[in-house]
Amino acid sequence: MGWLEKLRMRLRALRHGEEVHGEIAEEWQFHIDLRTEENIRRGMTPEEARQSAEQHFGNAGYIKDVSWDVRGGGIMETLWQDVRFGARQLRRSPGFTFVALLSLGLGIGGNAVIFSLISTILLRPLPISHPEQVFAIHQGKEKDASYSQSMSYPNYKDIRDRNAVLSGMAVYRFDPMSLSHNGSNERVWGYLVSGNYFDVLGVQAFLGRTFTVDEDRTPNSRPVAVLSYGCWQRRFGGAPGIVGSSIQINGHSFTAIGVAPPGFTGTESVFTPEFWVPSMMQEWIEAGSGLEGRGNGQWLPFGRLKPGINLEQARAQLNTVARQLGQEYPKTDEGMSLRLTPPGLVDPNLRSAVIAFSGALMLTVLLVLLIACTNLASLLLARATQRRKEIAVRMAIGATRARLAWQLLTESVMLSVTGAAFGLAIGQALILVARASLPRTDFALTLDLRMDWRVVSFVVALAVVTGISFGLVPALQASRSDVVFALKEDTSGGQRRAWLRGALVVMQVALSFVLLITAGLTVRSLEHTEALGPGFDPNNAVTMSVDLGLQGYDEKRGENFYQQLAERVRVLPGVKSAGWIARLPLALDVSTTDVYPEGQAEPRAEEMPSAIYESVSPAYFATMGIPIVAGRDFAGSDIARSPGVVIVNETLAQRFWPSQNAIGKRLHSGNTDVLEVVGVVRNGKYQSLGEIPALMVYYPLTQVYATSAALVIRTSVDPGAEISSVRSEVQKLDPQLPIYDAKTLKEHMRLALFPLHAGAMVAGSFALLAMVLAAIGIYGVMAYSVGQRTHEIGIRMALGARASDVWKMVLKQGVIITAIGMVFGLVCAIGLSGVVASMLYGVSATDPLTFLFITLLLSAVALAACNIPARRATKVDPVIAIRSL
Amino acid sequence: MGKQKPELPQGTLDMLVLKALSLGQMHGYGVGQRIGQLAEDMLKVEEGTLYPALYRIEQRGWIKSEWGVSENNRRARYYKLTRAGRKQLGVEEAKWSHLSMAVGKVLRTV
């Protein structure tokens, strides 16, 4: 019999037990009847014949038991009995069940959310065929540790054609584009991709078709686009006639040739493009061409491994090609080295940061779950003590220890599985909250958190493991009880269990202390960062961006536009000043350039200082509230024909010309001529609030032109109201020009603060959760202890103890447990301070204020939790307590 | 009280059941009868213990059962040797003859 047949047989016995019993009985009756007939033939009386037949058959009861073991429900029958019994037991003590389920649900819910984050970013494979064969190709230098997914078009073509390990290699590039639809222009994000992009990924069009390689051979020849499913649904109402119709991108007509399948949003795990356009159309999409120039690494390559080629073989062979290129084109490609990493997160540093961050989160929620499970174990222990008599009776009538332990374990697994169901519901709710609280960005970022099968199986596995591991000790404890002593109400076993429960609570207090400290430090770090500020004044200012490149402006027209709009806006009522910057600080990324002071030999590549650069207009610094500490602001006279000038920040001035006046000094920057420093401005934050002070170089927008820029407007009144009047000024200058990213500077700051806010919120809520769970734990232990000591308290009171004495006595017990827990927690928190310090900014990992505050908070909560049972103890009526003895 | 019949050694009942069924399909009573005849009534088998043995062997996949009609027109459960059961019988027979030969040798030499 195969296992499946066996299972079917067991299930049949379980569901149709009567029928199976009937079959067995019928078979045996037949046997006895035949034997009786035989006996009669041999000359016995019918009476004798039947008796003899039954005698020969043996002990029918025993045989029936043995048969049922073989043919009946077996282990499943036992399990089913236990489940029904357990459900009855849990229903009978709803308070216990509720607290256990709540603790578990909260603990498991937190785990579900964090795991879904990890699943979304790191685990969920791309919805493409054989995603495990697809790898992002990262380029770097042999000697340099910094790799990034970038490559020039000529190098891409050579590596694609020369390698023998990839079945296909494609490149792509994110680009903002202006989409005209229903008379309005909107700036959206799309991909420029090589013609084989969809083929290499193995993605079929949902509607129409994807690109052919021929469509991506000649620059500016085939204006075609593939829409994402979301774009087609949202912007074109899912109209089936979209294929073959014309859409307007950057004022050019593109033919929509197909729609990508739902769920496919390119290769980045958090980015959703609106459409894909062939790479050869780059000039129509953005100014300048990235198709030429071997040093122009602006494309993001990926490849699919040939079947049978492993990662190591592929890496080795690709690097052989890279070395060939290095010999052929030493100027750009010398020392080029390639790596393969799973796709999804552009920057390898980002990847490791995400792994570290989610690892820390996972650890936190597992700790919270541990605290929740401690409550569960503690409750189970208490129940085991209450049920000592029931268990003893069952043992006395012959239940084995293993059978009892098995039964208690079934109960705890039932609890944890139900808790997991609660947890999934709580997790789903938390995910909805998290989705709603993600900041809006100009960039098409999405974090598609979902309860996928990975999350569900993780949660179920977690539930079973916790159910077994935290049910095991109480189950073994309970089944070890001595029948005779238990029936006689012996309490020594109870005392041992009380000790174990106390130890569990100590652990809970210690763990929640550590979590609270971490959360407290994170909040302090956030406060500090906010207090320190971004280096500009985010109050009473608005910003909005335009992308002139998308509208085909040349440099001269663009400069005119920037100047005219600034002048028109400055005279608007309520506007104090206005200025342009190519890209706002604390946006998602920055551009950097090589810099070194004049009069110094050009440093070698490894030692070349790197500065962040931006182009700004006159009055930008005044508008942002960035003080100019020396020299002057840019002026209308700094134009293309006049000598090149820069303004630098204090850090750069300090580094290049320590204790000298930087004004009038000159520096080399990128490929430009030597530039003269005309001003020094106060340091600020450019990429993130937590960054270490960076070197910063500002160019005049009139000398280093930018095709897109943000206008910053300082207002004296409500900044939000200013947006519409500025918008109408733009309309007057160019009715076609889309405005994007209009917001107050404070709103802009939210993006920069988001990681800190999110970190503080997550750490804070988990720490609070841990504290609540610990409070439940303390309360449970104290309430139980008071219940156990009712007689003793009654006697004390009869002998003259006052209510306040009893109250103090009970409270003292709770205070001791809490104090021990907090000492352990303190030791752990100090031990962990090295790890925690790396995540903090501007606050010490052993910040005394935080430690003091958390100690007081936890003490207060613990006292409150002890107070309820202590009050109850004072209400003990000595007469009743002693009489019930 | 007559001469005592030897009880079956542990585990040999299964083999006898297989042997009995190798002669053709049969109901439980018939299996008992056949074993009795083959052993010329020299073995003592408590008839009821046949049934747990039959159920156990069926679970191992060596025999199959189905309801049929007996000689006297009553519903009876018939057991039949499977291919795996026939193979198992060969294995058991070989094992048994090896064992009895070895035991016999030991008993004769001393």
Side-chain angles (χ1 to χ4, degrees):
Chain A
M1 220 184 268
W3 67 268
L4 203 66
E5 268 174 84
K6 250 182 228 174
L7 185 69
R8 199 174 298 148
M9 184 202 79
R10 296 275 192 215
L11 280 176
R12 178 167 171 260
L14 208 58
R15 288 168 53 200
H16 308 286
E18 293 299 312
E19 209 172 296
V20 175
H21 276 299
E23 277 181 10
I24 292 176
E26 184 180 353
E27 195 174 10
W28 294 359
Q29 193 56 52
F30 173 75
H31 184 115
I32 289 170
D33 288 350
L34 284 195
R35 169 64 76 198
T36 311
E37 280 168 33
E38 173 84 28
N39 287 347
I40 292 172
R41 266 203 299 282
R42 289 198 183 152
M44 294 190 199
T45 65
E47 187 77 0
E48 276 174 350
R50 179 154 298 272
Q51 260 177 19
S52 152
E54 277 168 5
Q55 216 166 16
H56 266 90
F57 196 79
N59 181 347
Y62 170 73
I63 293 170
K64 199 168 167 180
D65 280 354
V66 176
S67 297
W68 189 249
D69 278 351
V70 182
R71 288 219 29 197
I75 191 172
M76 286 175 48
E77 190 169 356
T78 319
L79 194 65
W80 179 233
Q81 274 172 9
D82 286 353
V83 166
R84 277 184 310 180
F85 183 76
R88 267 204 310 277
Q89 288 290 326
L90 294 177
R91 264 206 308 274
R92 202 173 291 163
S93 37
F96 160 81
T97 310
F98 176 75
V99 172
L101 288 183
L102 188 69
S103 299
L104 271 173
L106 290 172
I108 288 181
N111 273 273
V113 174
I114 300 306
F115 191 78
S116 82
L117 179 72
I118 293 176
S119 172
T120 303
I121 298 184
L122 298 173
L123 300 180
R124 195 187 298 161
L126 295 170
I128 57 175
S129 72
H130 294 286
E132 74 286 351
Q133 296 173 344
V134 174
F135 289 90
I137 299 170
H138 287 246
Q139 185 185 322
K141 294 280 178 195
E142 274 161 4
K143 292 199 183 88
D144 191 351
S146 71
Y147 278 71
S148 67
Q149 191 183 4
S150 65
M151 191 173 275
S152 68
Y153 216 82
N155 274 343
Y156 154 62
K157 286 198 279 193
D158 285 337
I159 294 171
R160 178 192 66 195
D161 297 340
R162 291 188 198 181
N163 85 80
V165 285
L166 301 177
S167 66
M169 177 175 168
V171 288
Y172 61 99
R173 186 174 153 69
F174 309 95
D175 258 308
M177 309 177 189
S178 157
L179 177 70
S180 313
H181 183 58
N182 287 341
S184 73
N185 287 325
E186 198 178 345
R187 185 173 179 269
V188 298
W189 285 83
Y191 273 131
L192 282 172
V193 298
S194 56
N196 58 354
Y197 176 87
F198 287 99
D199 296 338
V200 173
L201 290 175
V203 170
Q204 311 281 325
F206 176 75
L207 213 64
R209 60 176 180 86
T210 59
F211 302 126
T212 63
V213 175
D214 271 341
E215 274 167 331
D216 194 41
R217 255 192 232 295
T218 326
N220 309 328
S221 61
R222 305 290 294 270
V224 289
V226 172
L227 305 186
S228 75
Y229 184 85
C231 172
W232 176 54
Q233 288 291 328
R234 279 194 312 277
R235 299 182 193 281
F236 299 96
I242 188 74
V243 174
S245 70
S246 167
I247 59 172
Q248 296 291 313
I249 302 173
N250 291 5
H252 296 285
S253 249
F254 280 73
T255 308
I257 56 165
V259 175
F264 177 72
T265 57
T267 47
E268 304 312 312
S269 53
V270 292
F271 174 73
T272 3
E274 298 289 312
F275 36 75
W276 290 264
V277 172
S279 60
M280 288 296 154
M281 301 309 297
Q282 191 184 17
E283 276 183 32
W284 290 23
I285 298 297
E286 53 183 326
S289 173
L291 299 172
E292 308 292 330
R294 206 163 273 278
N296 188 0
Q298 53 169 258
W299 297 87
L300 286 71
F302 66 89
R304 181 185 284 279
L305 300 191
K306 278 185 178 165
I309 299 288
N310 67 31
L311 202 55
E312 192 39 47
Q313 290 165 327
R315 200 192 59 79
Q317 213 266 330
L318 286 173
N319 277 305
T320 311
V321 177
R323 269 193 297 279
Q324 281 171 14
L325 290 173
Q327 280 160 13
E328 289 165 41
Y329 309 99
K331 193 158 174 277
T332 51
D333 292 351
E334 187 153 37
M336 174 163 68
S337 161
L338 300 174
R339 274 187 199 166
L340 297 171
T341 69
L345 292 165
V346 179
D347 187 342
N349 298 324
L350 186 60
R351 189 175 187 81
S352 46
V354 166
I355 290 175
F357 179 66
S358 35
L361 279 181
M362 203 69 226
L363 198 69
T364 310
V365 288
L366 282 175
L367 278 182
V368 172
L369 183 62
L370 190 63
I371 296 175
C373 287
T374 312
N375 271 350
L376 178 67
S378 174
L379 286 166
L380 286 170
L381 270 178
R383 259 163 65 82
T385 312
Q386 281 162 8
R387 287 169 67 178
R388 224 170 45 226
K389 271 196 175 173
E390 169 211 326
I391 288 164
V393 168
R394 296 182 64 189
M395 282 179 91
I397 57 175
T400 63
R401 193 164 282 176
R403 182 76 189 72
L404 276 175
W406 180 251
Q407 205 257 303
L408 292 172
L409 212 52
T410 308
E411 263 182 58
S412 68
V413 172
M414 272 172 73
L415 265 179
S416 63
V417 169
T418 321
F422 268 115
L424 283 176
I426 292 172
Q428 184 62 45
L430 288 176
I431 281 179
L432 293 179
V433 172
R435 273 195 197 161
S437 63
L438 281 180
R440 248 172 9 92
T441 63
D442 155 56
F443 201 57
L445 278 180
T446 45
L447 192 55
D448 183 18
L449 289 181
R450 256 186 291 156
M451 287 278 176
D452 54 13
W453 63 267
R454 273 177 215 85
V455 181
V456 174
S457 23
F458 171 76
V459 163
V460 170
L462 206 59
V464 172
V465 169
T466 51
I468 290 178
S469 47
F470 289 88
L472 201 59
V473 174
L476 290 179
Q477 276 263 0
S479 61
R480 206 180 293 140
S481 27
D482 188 302
V483 178
V484 182
F485 281 114
L487 288 174
K488 277 182 171 171
E489 268 300 354
D490 169 67
T491 50
S492 66
Q495 264 160 21
R496 198 168 60 224
R497 261 167 244 148
W499 183 87
L500 195 55
R501 294 190 69 198
L504 289 175
V505 171
V506 165
M507 190 175 86
Q508 281 185 317
V509 173
L511 287 178
S512 48
F513 187 81
V514 172
L515 288 178
L516 282 168
I517 288 284
T518 314
L521 290 173
T522 315
V523 171
R524 291 268 294 154
S525 172
L526 176 69
E527 271 174 13
H528 184 85
T529 314
E530 279 184 333
L532 209 64
F536 57 83
D537 177 10
N539 300 305
N540 284 341
V542 286
T543 172
M544 60 183 63
S545 301
V546 290
D547 195 331
L548 303 177
L550 300 183
Q551 297 303 111
Y553 278 56
D554 61 12
E555 195 170 327
K556 193 162 177 301
R557 224 181 121 201
E559 277 177 12
N560 252 329
F561 176 87
Y562 288 143
Q563 198 189 334
Q564 279 185 21
L565 185 64
E567 279 168 10
R568 280 163 170 266
V569 168
R570 275 178 203 134
V571 297
L572 286 175
V575 172
K576 283 180 167 171
S577 68
W580 292 94
I581 182 164
R583 182 165 29 192
L584 284 172
L586 302 177
L588 283 170
D589 56 349
V590 294
S591 303
T592 59
T593 178
D594 299 342
V595 281
Y596 62 97
E598 188 191 34
Q600 199 177 315
E602 182 175 342
R604 286 184 309 147
E606 302 94 84
E607 285 148 21
M608 178 66 85
S610 172
I612 300 170
Y613 72 87
E614 276 318 328
S615 296
V616 301
S617 76
Y620 166 77
F621 297 111
T623 308
M624 289 293 273
I626 301 171
I628 299 176
V629 294
R632 63 165 175 95
D633 190 5
F634 292 130
S637 54
D638 297 313
I639 51 170
R641 290 184 311 271
S642 63
V645 291
V646 289
I647 292 175
V648 298
N649 69 348
E650 287 170 308
T651 307
L652 189 140
Q654 194 64 39
R655 163 116 177 247
F656 284 3
W657 304 284
S659 61
Q660 293 176 52
N661 184 2
I663 306 300
K665 296 282 192 304
R666 285 148 58 97
L667 54 77
H668 298 267
S669 154
N671 301 324
T672 59
D673 298 329
V674 195
L675 303 170
E676 185 186 332
V677 176
V678 296
V680 177
V681 294
R682 183 69 51 80
N683 283 333
K685 302 291 174 195
Y686 308 109
Q687 190 165 14
S688 74
L689 289 167
E691 74 193 7
I692 51 165
L695 305 181
M696 182 77 204
V697 175
Y698 293 98
Y699 305 119
L701 195 50
T702 40
Q703 289 183 341
V704 179
Y705 176 70
T707 59
S708 67
L711 181 64
V712 186
I713 305 133
R714 178 143 311 267
T715 60
S716 51
V717 290
D718 172 27
E722 210 60 53
I723 290 178
S724 58
S725 49
V726 178
R727 200 182 279 275
S728 69
E729 291 302 319
V730 176
Q731 293 275 312
K732 283 181 209 158
L733 284 175
D734 183 347
Q736 294 296 312
L737 186 67
I739 293 173
Y740 64 92
D741 229 10
K743 59 192 172 188
T744 65
L745 268 194
K746 277 205 115 129
E747 282 168 342
H748 176 68
M749 287 287 293
R750 268 188 43 198
L751 176 64
L753 286 169
F754 179 72
L756 281 169
H757 275 290
M761 213 177 85
V762 169
S765 38
F766 283 128
L768 285 181
L769 180 57
M771 190 176 72
V772 169
L773 291 173
I776 293 175
I778 295 172
Y779 167 79
V781 164
M782 295 313 297
Y784 178 75
S785 152
V786 167
Q788 291 280 300
R789 291 171 72 183
T790 308
H791 302 315
E792 177 204 324
I793 293 169
I795 293 171
R796 279 174 189 271
M797 288 177 94
L799 292 178
R802 280 167 305 167
S804 64
D805 296 331
V806 171
W807 184 74
K808 265 186 225 151
M809 179 188 79
V810 175
L811 217 55
K812 201 176 113 192
Q813 192 189 352
V815 167
I816 289 173
I817 290 179
T818 314
I820 297 174
M822 293 216 288
V823 169
F824 273 112
L826 194 68
V827 172
C828 288
I830 291 171
L832 283 173
S833 61
V835 185
V836 179
S838 62
M839 298 186 282
L840 298 176
Y841 182 68
V843 53
S844 147
T846 51
D847 178 47
L849 205 62
T850 311
F851 274 69
L852 184 67
F853 175 73
I854 296 303
T855 308
L856 291 178
L857 176 70
L858 197 53
S859 311
V861 170
L863 276 180
C866 294
N867 188 41
I868 304 167
R871 284 259 162 253
R872 194 177 306 151
T874 63
K875 306 258 160 59
V876 168
D877 184 334
V879 179
I880 297 174
I882 295 173
R883 194 175 287 160
S884 72
L885 196 59
Chain B
M1 264 243 176
K3 207 172 102 189
Q4 246 192 341
K5 293 177 184 175
E7 294 224 14
L8 271 179
Q10 194 80 41
T12 46
L13 181 61
D14 291 8
M15 181 174 65
L16 297 185
V17 169
L18 288 177
K19 183 73 191 174
L21 285 173
S22 73
L23 304 172
Q25 68 165 2
M26 189 38 76
H27 44 65
Y29 179 75
V31 171
Q33 291 290 95
R34 256 187 209 164
I35 292 176
Q37 282 162 13
L38 293 174
E40 291 166 359
D41 285 331
M42 289 191 303
L43 286 172
K44 178 187 166 193
V45 179
E46 225 175 44
E47 290 174 12
T49 58
L50 267 179
Y51 289 92
L54 281 168
Y55 303 149
R56 199 167 47 237
I57 298 170
E58 181 176 13
Q59 261 199 31
R60 294 197 179 139
W62 297 336
I63 59 175
K64 265 184 171 164
S65 70
E66 58 189 11
W67 289 100
V69 182
S70 73
E71 313 87 72
N72 58 357
N73 262 335
R74 277 186 60 178
R75 206 163 93 101
R77 202 164 178 85
Y78 277 86
Y79 294 89
K80 196 164 84 183
L81 209 59
T82 65
R83 197 186 295 263
R86 202 166 288 284
K87 216 163 115 192
Q88 182 64 21
L89 178 60
V91 172
E92 299 265 339
E93 276 177 343
K95 251 176 26 194
W96 179 256
S97 62
H98 196 84
L99 180 71
S100 60
M101 205 164 70
V103 173
K105 249 185 191 156
V106 171
L107 293 179
R108 272 193 300 279
T109 44
V110 181

